[in-house]
């Protein structure tokens, strides 16, 4: 597996990402946005720190049972007075603004960044990307093989593919999102256990998250 990076203008980031995505089947180079030079450095540092081979991570991901992994996370949370009802919250109703890829914008002022890096990973499937980058295993961010296991399942069930993988952010494009409240809530619980910060430091409840996932072509994850 190989990784190439291209420095690109921020205002062209989405266009170039989509252009390279349309060529992935022919080139075998899977595109994703990394962010600025600092984010690229974080990605490279993490990959150098982890001595596993990407092929070994992919193999290990097939041993990960996501339901069992979630059960382990929940058991840990229950030791700290986890409240399912409080975490679920009340259904807010349909949310019109589902969000979109935002890595090319400054988080503080919303302006497009002058330069970004586009990654091109020589991988067979989009869900191999966390293995290629050896992504995770810090703070509450899951191990690389866990990322692969979840994204393999989500790609199969929802047509979800990673479009951004920076130092602490993952964003996905989704072609088969949940179309009813029950399915969206089931997915939201999965995403909560995978990345609790998007609820606890973000939207505030699993129901709020579910409402954003309903019929949405976009997912966002962030780890503190």
């Amino acid at each position: 597996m190989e990784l190439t990076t291209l420095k690109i203008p921020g205002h062209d980031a989405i266009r170039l990402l989509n252009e390279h995505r349309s060529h992935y089947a022919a080139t075998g180079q899977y595109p994703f946005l990394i962010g600025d030079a600092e984010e690229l450095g974080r990605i490279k540092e993490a990959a150098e720190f982890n001595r596993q081979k990407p092929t070994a991570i992919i193999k290990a991901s097939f041993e990960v049972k996501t339901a069992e992994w979630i059960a382990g996370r929940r058991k840990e949370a229950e030791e700290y007075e986890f409240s399912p009802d409080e975490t679920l919250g009340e259904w807010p109703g349909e949310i019109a603004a589902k969000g979109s890829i935002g890595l090319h914008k400054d988080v503080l002022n919303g302006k497009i960044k002058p330069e970004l890096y586009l990654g091109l990973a020589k991988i067979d499937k989009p869900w191999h990307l966390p293995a290629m980058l050896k992504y995770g295993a810090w703070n509450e961010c899951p191990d690389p093989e866990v990322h692969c296991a979840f994204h393999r399942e989500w790609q199969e069930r929802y047509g979800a593919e990673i479009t951004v993988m920076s130092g602490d952010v993952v964003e996905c494009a989704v072609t088969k999102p949940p179309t009813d409240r029950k399915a969206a809530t089931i997915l939201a619980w999965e995403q909560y256990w995978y990345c609790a910060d998007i609820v606890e430091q973000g939207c505030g409840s699993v129901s709020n998250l579910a409402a954003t996932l309903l019929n949405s072509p976009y997912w966002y994850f962030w780890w503190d």
Side-chain angles (χ1 to χ4, degrees), residues 184-196:
T185 301
I186 290 171
L187 174 60
W189 273 116
E190 290 180 6
Q191 293 195 1
Y192 169 75
W193 293 115
Y194 170 71
C195 181

Side-chain angles (χ1 to χ4, degrees), residues 163-181:
T163 53
V164 165
M165 189 161 263
S166 71
D168 55 8
V169 170
V170 172
E171 299 182 69
C172 298
V174 184
T175 59
K176 299 182 293 183
T179 57
D180 62 74
R181 177 172 164 178

Side-chain angles (χ1 to χ4, degrees), residues 40-200:
L40 177 61
R42 292 177 65 182
I43 287 286
K44 288 183 174 180
E45 183 179 359
E48 291 170 358
F49 179 78
N50 189 328
R51 299 291 179 156
Q52 287 179 288
K53 293 183 178 180
T55 51
I57 295 172
I58 291 170
K59 183 178 180 180
S61 76
F62 286 99
E63 301 299 319
V64 176
K65 309 301 181 186
T66 56
E68 294 179 4
W69 187 89
I70 286 173
R73 281 273 171 127
R74 177 164 183 152
K75 184 177 180 180
E76 291 175 3
E78 287 172 346
E79 295 176 0
Y80 295 93
E81 299 181 352
F82 165 71
S83 171
D85 291 339
E86 184 177 331
T87 304
L88 177 62
E90 297 292 330
W91 182 259
E94 179 70 19
I95 294 178
K98 302 296 186 180
S100 59
I101 295 173
L103 190 77
H104 61 306
K105 297 179 180 179
D106 189 293
V107 69
L108 296 178
N109 58 32
K111 294 182 179 180
I112 294 176
K113 297 176 182 178
E115 288 183 340
L116 294 175
Y117 284 88
L118 177 75
L120 297 172
K122 196 73 173 177
I123 52 179
D124 294 333
K125 298 181 184 297
W127 62 265
H128 289 180
L129 185 59
M132 172 82 248
L133 300 181
K134 305 176 185 179
Y135 191 87
W138 44 268
N139 295 347
E140 292 300 310
C141 189
D143 293 340
E145 60 268 26
V146 175
H147 286 290
C148 286
F150 274 100
H151 285 278
R152 179 173 63 246
E153 291 185 8
W154 288 337
Q155 184 178 330
E156 292 171 355
R157 289 159 51 197
Y158 302 105
E161 296 181 352
I162 298 170
T163 53
V164 165
M165 189 161 263
S166 71
D168 55 8
V169 170
V170 172
E171 299 182 69
C172 298
V174 184
T175 59
K176 299 182 293 183
T179 57
D180 62 74
R181 177 172 164 178
K182 179 179 179 181
T185 301
I186 290 171
L187 174 60
W189 273 116
E190 290 180 6
Q191 293 195 1
Y192 169 75
W193 293 115
Y194 170 71
C195 181
D197 283 340
I198 57 174
V199 170
E200 295 177 356

